[in-house]
Amino acid sequence: MSEHDEQQQQHHTQDIVDEEYIRTEDILEEDTVNLDQGEPMDDDDSDDDDMAEGSNPLEGFDVRPSADDENMMELADDSVQGFFDHREPVYAIAMHPKEPTIMVSGGGDDKSYIWRNDTGEMLYELSGHTDSVTAVGFSVDGEYVASAGMDGKVRVWKSATGEFCTAVEGPDEIVWIDWHPKGNILLAGASDSTIWMWAMPSGKFMNIFNGHAAPVTSGKFTPDGKKIVTVSEDTSFIVWDPKSAASEVRLSGDDARFHREPVVTVAVNKDSTLAITGAMDGNARLVNLTNGQIVSALENHSDSVETADFCDVLALAATGSTDGTISIWDVQTQRLRQTLNHEDAVVKVKFVQNSPFLVSCSVDRSIRLWDARTGQCIKNWSGHRDGVLDFAVSSDGKTVVTASDDGTCLVFKA
């Protein structure tokens, strides 16, 4: 990168810091969600009004059931393509935000790969880690791709060419990473209780966040980019100011209304006003990010809540548990809407962008597509020989790409 380009990058990064999410007045102007409005949704509701008028919610999806004979589970393979170069468990996978055929995956072979999900072709091998790659992700515009590992290192490349840009380190074993939603700033949470933030691709250190006392199990920028939320095994939940690294909201097991066991997942709604936390106690909590109040206890699971997500277009949220169930919640009334079932622990749930459709993966080796309004399982894909550890889904919901403990990545089409 030329000196001129580097100066431009630094100015752009500073613009993000100064203008996109740091202004105190912006934070104070955030509107709270009125959770008292709205009637409970009827069991036979017609939520199509929340979608485009006259649209068919299943249009474009092949709703013919996949083979689900348990005796054929070992032989069934609904995938249309795969990537097999890892040969060790694949822990993380992400899809390019603008080129949905381009993937990055990272695994127990200490490597990441950029590859195509339409052909299975490996484009670039991203090496340099000395321990398992636990997290991968593309920047918001897809120009850069990052990998992070148990070696405590973050490495960044240009996604289009595979050109290495920078490596940074400082944390202990890295659990997760997250790119800023409006620019090239990268966040990483580690097992040593810290969260680190850098400007990319320069690798310039920006901040370290200290406040947890145990591994930081999950975290992310809020969708508006103005705050950071993290949760930890020490039972705490913290909302941070990205610029000052000060904690604005803190909840923990010291409050009897919050979790009494390690918190393992957190999700934030698209308006950056609400968060859901899930913990090993089998419970979830709905938290108002503006004032730090616990809005509701969401309790329907019998074991650890490992994953959660909000729907973009309806007042719905999902939580998934090691008890094999997924709970669909009405966010306005905090009532349970649906209970969905896998045959083993649920690893991840994620709503398809701007839709009521939910994708889930499980230790039972399956990936499923659901209509969260009705609880209908639209697709039940098989193909992996071991548990599915992660997946990425295209914005139209028609392509799901998985990462598995069996060392492979598979591509499924709806």
Side-chain angles (χ1 to χ4, degrees):
M1 179 182 293
S2 69
E3 183 176 350
H4 175 70
D5 290 340
E6 185 170 322
Q7 289 176 347
Q8 282 191 324
Q9 175 66 37
Q10 290 174 350
H11 288 315
H12 177 62
T13 298
Q14 190 61 44
D15 288 343
I16 296 168
V17 173
D18 291 339
E19 297 180 9
E20 294 294 356
Y21 65 96
I22 301 306
R23 295 179 298 181
T24 303
E25 60 267 31
D26 285 344
I27 295 173
L28 294 176
E29 289 172 1
E30 287 291 307
D31 293 329
T32 59
V33 170
N34 185 353
L35 295 169
D36 294 325
Q37 292 183 353
E39 296 297 315
M41 298 182 183
D42 297 328
D43 291 339
D44 59 349
D45 62 284
S46 177
D47 284 324
D48 290 4
D49 291 342
D50 294 275
M51 307 292 288
E53 184 176 353
S55 65
N56 179 351
L58 301 183
E59 183 177 359
F61 288 94
D62 178 2
V63 297
R64 292 173 299 176
S66 303
D68 58 0
D69 185 339
E70 293 183 3
N71 295 325
M72 294 180 62
M73 182 63 76
E74 288 291 341
L75 301 177
D77 185 358
D78 304 313
S79 65
V80 299
Q81 190 53 262
F83 181 74
F84 309 99
D85 286 23
H86 281 286
R87 304 180 188 279
E88 294 287 344
V90 188
Y91 297 120
I93 194 162
M95 184 177 290
H96 193 289
K98 295 184 177 179
E99 301 289 343
T101 59
I102 304 299
M103 310 298 302
V104 61
S105 56
D109 55 357
D110 308 347
K111 296 177 181 178
S112 297
Y113 296 91
I114 297 178
W115 54 280
R116 295 185 62 96
N117 65 39
D118 54 348
T119 64
E121 176 190 4
M122 191 267 283
L123 300 178
Y124 306 108
E125 178 182 308
L126 310 178
S127 59
H129 286 287
T130 57
D131 207 337
S132 296
V133 176
T134 52
V136 294
F138 289 97
S139 60
V140 64
D141 62 1
E143 183 176 359
Y144 299 102
V145 63
S147 65
M150 294 183 68
D151 58 5
K153 298 177 182 178
V154 176
R155 298 175 65 82
V156 176
W157 293 262
K158 289 185 177 179
S159 62
T161 63
E163 177 187 346
F164 176 70
C165 295
T166 191
V168 294
E169 56 185 305
D172 198 348
E173 299 173 352
I174 296 175
V175 181
W176 54 267
I177 60 174
D178 190 49
W179 286 92
H180 191 275
K182 297 182 181 179
N184 297 328
I185 295 174
L186 188 67
L187 196 65
S191 61
D192 63 4
S193 79
T194 63
I195 305 105
W196 294 61
M197 188 169 73
W198 303 272
M200 295 299 180
S202 68
K204 179 183 177 183
F205 170 78
M206 296 183 70
N207 245 328
I208 184 171
F209 303 81
N210 289 294
H212 294 295
V216 187
T217 48
S218 182
K220 59 193 62 185
F221 289 104
T222 55
D224 62 8
K226 297 178 180 179
K227 301 177 183 179
I228 294 167
V229 296
T230 58
V231 294
S232 169
E233 288 184 7
D234 67 1
T235 76
S236 65
F237 163 82
I238 300 178
V239 180
W240 308 87
D241 177 337
K243 185 175 182 180
S244 68
S247 60
E248 298 180 343
V249 171
R250 179 184 175 88
L251 297 170
S252 74
D254 294 336
D255 185 334
R257 299 170 302 162
F258 201 58
H259 302 289
R260 308 306 295 270
E261 294 187 29
V263 188
V264 293
T265 190
V266 63
V268 181
N269 70 339
K270 69 174 183 178
D271 296 324
S272 303
T273 53
L274 293 171
I276 286 182
T277 58
M280 291 182 67
D281 57 13
N283 298 322
R285 293 291 184 267
L286 188 65
V287 180
N288 187 315
L289 293 180
T290 307
N291 57 27
Q293 294 298 308
I294 300 172
V295 176
S296 180
L298 307 177
E299 301 181 353
N300 187 48
H301 296 290
S302 61
D303 209 338
S304 179
V305 177
E306 297 286 315
T307 178
D309 197 26
F310 284 93
C311 178
D312 288 343
V313 294
L314 300 174
L316 299 176
T319 54
S321 169
T322 55
D323 66 9
T325 68
I326 300 166
S327 296
I328 305 297
W329 303 93
D330 183 321
V331 176
Q332 288 184 321
T333 65
Q334 298 94 54
R335 287 176 54 186
L336 179 69
R337 286 286 306 278
Q338 307 286 345
T339 299
L340 318 177
N341 291 280
H342 275 274
E343 278 68 55
D344 208 330
V346 178
V347 178
K348 180 177 180 177
V349 296
K350 184 173 179 59
F351 278 95
V352 176
Q353 185 176 331
N354 297 319
S355 87
F357 300 110
L358 181 77
V359 181
S360 62
C361 70
S362 170
V363 175
D364 69 10
R365 302 173 293 177
S366 74
I367 308 92
R368 299 181 184 181
L369 177 68
W370 312 84
D371 185 332
R373 298 164 297 183
T374 64
Q376 178 188 6
C377 182
I378 299 170
K379 297 291 290 187
N380 182 4
W381 293 293
S382 300
H384 284 294
R385 302 187 308 276
D386 210 333
V388 184
L389 305 180
D390 195 11
F391 67 81
V393 57
S394 61
S395 59
D396 63 6
K398 295 182 180 180
T399 303
V400 179
V401 189
T402 55
S404 172
D405 216 3
D406 65 12
T408 70
C409 302
L410 297 180
V411 182
F412 301 92
K413 292 288 187 177

